[in-house]
Amino acid sequence: MSVLAAGGTVLYSMWRSAHPEPTVLTVRYRTDAPATTAVAKPWLEIINTSGKSVDLSDVTLRYYYTADDNSAYGSNCVQTSLGCSNVTQRTGRADNPAPNADHYLQIGFTTAARSLAPGKTTEGIGLQLYRVDHKKLNQANDRSFTAKHTTYTQSKLVTAYVRGALVWGQEPNGDTPAPEPSTSSAPKPAVAASPTGVLFDDFDYTGPDDPALSANGWEARSGAGGPGIKDTWSRDGVSFPAGEDGKRGQALQLRADTDGTEHGTRQSEFHRTEPTVFTGTLVARVYFSDKPTSGSDGDHISESFFTISPDPESSKYSELDYEYMPNGGWGAYGPRLDTTSWRGNDLTDLRNRVTSSHIKKLGGWHTVVITAMDGVTTYSVDGQKLFSSGSGYFPRERMSINFSAWFIDLPFKGSRTWDMRVDWLYHQDGRAVSVKDVQKAVAGFTADGTHYVNTLPKS
């Protein structure tokens, strides 16, 4: 039987060679980066070369690379006419590593990406691949990289699959497992389109200059203004190290450092460039620091998560704040978490705000929630309700989302550094959502390889 089976396999291979199946998809590739670079920039294009439409949610691509120094790698989408929210990416280790291909970047699509008609193209999909430690990588030993392909060229070093069956390209050694077994007749489960009215980000970016930041509506602050030590805001304090578990994914990090002088102080803020939040549920997974990363303790540091009206003079001014002060501040002892709802920005008029202070030591990771619904704003941490404010301080217009780390004052000399981190952000517009449901949604995005989603209504 084994001899017959082997003979049948040979005959089938000979028949396939004489009667090749029509190509379903063609993949074209170009690069925007040299062999040695801080960020690999593969651009991929899929062309439907079959005679029928192909659902993009059934399509998976794999781009093969070598993980230099066995480093963790991150990726993101920079540009595509499909919308980066509809492109998923996941880096993985090959089960059977091949020369120049011990890892792969897997690209997929949600159902919202729709279908590709015969003869049509996705147009270019701009991607980034980089080391999470932000050291330079060597693309010369990456199987799918071709330095000379600076314009779109067909590449069989990138593989394409439809429902798990290989339809384009050459797998390394021919034994790299497909996304789904190619012998299976079961369809590959489609990645569902994200629900409407959702903003999600797990902060997979290369740094404050990453073009994906502005494409996704974020900005690292620099330059003048307050609060804290005025005119000391620096984009250099914003970075994206490994995420909460340290194994995959990244986090936003905000660094505030000083030598005790105004000239030697740097504060950090990261925010949405457009008003985003009005009512609904806003959740962030935040790491608060109780102690400095380096240097002496004792600073009056503020680690803040808040929403705020873009115009401080607006007649509908609104602001919702979390402000954690591990050593206190404003004449009060710490550790302290202040939750504040505002209806005006004049600090001298106490009618403009209502605050609840909580004596809590919060060093570590926490799930921080603001829910604004039906005239009531509720603040909760790790599922525990801390404070609610009523209709007099309820949001009256859309606000931006902000994270910041800054010094209230400079009580002593000497160098020290403080770090605040955010693993992910989730917002559901106009609807109250439980922490459990938010965590389930975030886990689903992570499992699908979805780094960023924005299905919010246009403002």
Side-chain angles (χ1 to χ4, degrees), residues 434-447:
S434 70
V435 172
K436 182 178 179 180
D437 286 343
V438 169
Q439 291 170 333
K440 182 178 179 181
V442 170
F445 288 140
T446 300

Side-chain angles (χ1 to χ4, degrees), residues 31-88:
T31 180
D32 256 0
T36 301
T37 183
V39 184
K41 299 177 180 180
W43 286 74
L44 302 177
E45 178 190 22
I46 306 170
I47 303 170
N48 183 353
T49 44
S50 73
K52 59 183 179 180
S53 292
V54 175
D55 288 335
L56 282 172
S57 61
D58 289 335
V59 175
T60 307
L61 306 181
R62 278 188 174 178
Y63 177 95
Y64 300 92
Y65 67 95
T66 299
D68 301 329
D69 304 322
N70 203 30
S71 172
Y73 276 58
S75 67
N76 58 39
C77 172
V78 178
Q79 182 178 328
T80 171
S81 61
L82 301 172
C84 281
S85 286
N86 299 319
V87 178
T88 66

